[in-house]
Amino acid sequence: MLTQTISRAFSQVVLKANKNQARELGEYAIEFMKNGNPSVKVLERCKLFHTDSVFCGLSALALKTNAPTILAQEAKSLAAKTGAASKPKLGFAKVFGSNLWVPATNAIVANSAAVREWDSNGTVFGYDASSPARRAGEFGHNDYYPVVIAAAQQNASIDGKTALKAMVLSDEIRGRLAEVFSLKTYKIDHVVHGAIASICTYGALLGATPAQIESAIGMFVAHYIPFRAIRAGHQLSDSKGASAAISTEAAIKCLQRSMNGFVGPADIFRNPEAIFRLFQKTKGDSPFDITLSLGGDDFAVMGMHFKLGLYEHQSAGALEGLQKLILDTKFVQNYSIDSIDKIKVTAYEPAFGIIGDPAKRDPHTRQSADHSMVYILGTMLRKAFTEKSFHQLLSSTNDLNEIWKALFLSPYDYSHAAVRNKDTRKLMALTEFEHGGKEYDDKYPEGIPTRVQILLKDGKNLDSQFVMFPSGHARNANCDLTGILQNKFKQLGKIAIKDSKSQDQFYQQLNSIDTLSNKDLQTIYNCEINYASKSIDE
């Protein structure tokens, strides 16, 4: 049975290292869906993350990005022969923008790939300030909500309130695993934690037993571990954006097989040859306890961060610093790109090694550009210099929120043409990236410690000073988060959906998911996608 240590303040359960944590994760997921009670604050934050993810996914499909398009077409080619209006048996769901019933694993892989394609939805850094034992700092993203909707489209008892609660559950398991085990340290891709969370959530929603969930987790960990080869190299491929989707597809397939009687490896967290004990040696226990919430405010989703446009989240501190410089000094109105002598960015590991990697200084693909600090920063600064509408705004505002909205980095800022923009390339060549050493490293993953300096040819040195919690970060209490996100949803909605009325109706439906019936969830992702004439990458 589940070993519980309940805190009166936070209603938490601790899965101890000397117990079968895979079995107990299944027990926890089932118990949470029955009796868990996250606060309104938690549910509202999760709702925002879900809405964010859907607009990211739909716009990626509208602009015909490669992997989401291929996976959606693959799913539709397998559509059930029962017709669009007829509900087939267990095991079918729907892809974004379609009313066709397709195999659930195909719907999940297609929708999750679309959600992740822009690399613009939520992020977790695996850090709990209250406990030194829970600061492993693993990355992760809110890519897994399509798992919940796919389950709802198979189980008529799941309404919108239940679905939103299940999304909190998925984020809780994924986020807490990210706090205690750093996959990236061992060159394993961060999506493993999300896949495990997806097994638990999908299983709890569709009636799996704890033993079946344990079996599926064991099967996934034993058979399907992805390595960070996905993200290595000078020019990144479709595998980077589709990693979470492909791993989740495998995870759900493992659960389906377990529910059909297949038995996977038991007690996988204590298995000496599975990744956990293989890389962190113990005398027999799992390397960590897992602390999970059952109620209140203290859920992992509350520590997750929003991206306010399309950019790799490690660059958020630099973007905040740049925009503060622009707002405070208005230098883009009085100088030109040619007035700049040098741009210097000081940051921490792993930002310095990932998006500051010299291999990313000359991106040729969108996937490489959105992981290049010099490209992301250069693009935003180029827009500030060259867009007349921005200069008009800058003359009339002292509000950083308005700067974030006006300099929103959209999919078009990573198009084939944008990646080759001469002004952006000029700014990239002027940019130096410096590792801040221990002073900066020690403050990550609590924050995103960054400093931006722009040295002008006339001798002036514009200095953002130290940025720790940029807008969108869970610890930032100053920005108008809802307002900036609504701008993001509006910008992506214009790309994704054909007319403004439909865009507004779609947003309202997502924003009220907790009031929807199961019938509503059957069509929650159905809309008329405004497909471009060609791919944004052409």
Side-chain angles (χ1 to χ4, degrees), residues 306-373:
F306 287 95
K307 296 183 184 181
L308 308 180
L310 275 66
Y311 53 83
E312 212 288 331
H313 201 71
Q314 309 280 1
S315 68
L319 294 177
E320 177 99 343
L322 175 63
Q323 289 175 96
K324 287 176 69 176
L325 280 181
I326 292 169
L327 179 63
D328 293 344
T329 70
K330 320 286 188 185
F331 76 93
V332 297
Q333 293 181 322
N334 303 314
Y335 292 89
S336 69
I337 292 173
D338 292 330
S339 303
I340 297 175
D341 182 54
K342 182 168 63 175
I343 302 167
K344 182 180 177 182
V345 181
T346 307
Y348 57 95
E349 284 288 10
F352 181 73
I354 297 177
I355 59 175
D357 182 353
K360 306 293 195 310
R361 289 197 67 92
D362 183 27
H364 289 219
T365 65
R366 172 174 49 81
Q367 292 91 337
S368 294
D370 69 23
H371 270 57
S372 166
M373 172 69 90

Side-chain angles (χ1 to χ4, degrees), residues 269-283:
F269 290 94
R270 290 191 291 184
N271 187 314
E273 296 188 18
I275 56 172
F276 308 106
R277 287 187 60 204
L278 180 66
F279 291 113
Q280 293 185 14
K281 304 298 183 184
T282 74
K283 294 181 179 180

Side-chain angles (χ1 to χ4, degrees), residues 7 33 63 87 105 112-113 115 140 155 188 247 264 288 294 320 322 377 382 418 424 426 433 455 470 480 512 528:
S7 160
M33 290 311 303
L63 293 180
K87 185 171 175 61
T105 50
S112 295
V115 162
N155 182 346
I188 300 169
S247 286
F288 44 76
L294 286 165
E320 177 99 343
L322 175 63
L377 204 66
R382 184 258 303 164
T424 300
K426 187 181 294 185
F433 202 47
L455 285 70
D480 174 18
S512 59
E528 189 176 358

Side-chain angles (χ1 to χ4, degrees), residues 87-138:
K87 185 171 175 61
K89 61 183 181 180
L90 188 73
F92 288 81
K94 297 175 181 179
V95 296
F96 284 141
S98 172
N99 208 30
L100 294 173
W101 291 103
V102 306
T105 50
N106 290 89
I108 288 167
V109 71
N111 291 344
S112 295
V115 162
R116 178 95 292 261
E117 181 67 19
W118 295 142
D119 198 357
S120 184
N121 56 326
T123 297
V124 66
F125 284 161
Y127 181 90
D128 188 326
S130 69
S131 173
R134 291 159 59 186
R135 299 177 185 174
E138 185 51 68

Side-chain angles (χ1 to χ4, degrees), residues 63-65 118 366 411-412 415-416 534-538:
L63 293 180
K64 296 185 176 178
T65 55
W118 295 142
R366 172 174 49 81
Y412 298 118
S415 68
H416 182 80
K534 64 178 183 178
S535 169
I536 192 173
D537 298 317
E538 293 180 14

Side-chain angles (χ1 to χ4, degrees), residues 8 139 254 281 374 412 460 488 501:
R8 290 182 182 178
F139 310 141
C254 289
K281 304 298 183 184
V374 296
Y412 298 118
K460 290 184 179 178
K488 179 183 179 182
K501 183 178 179 181

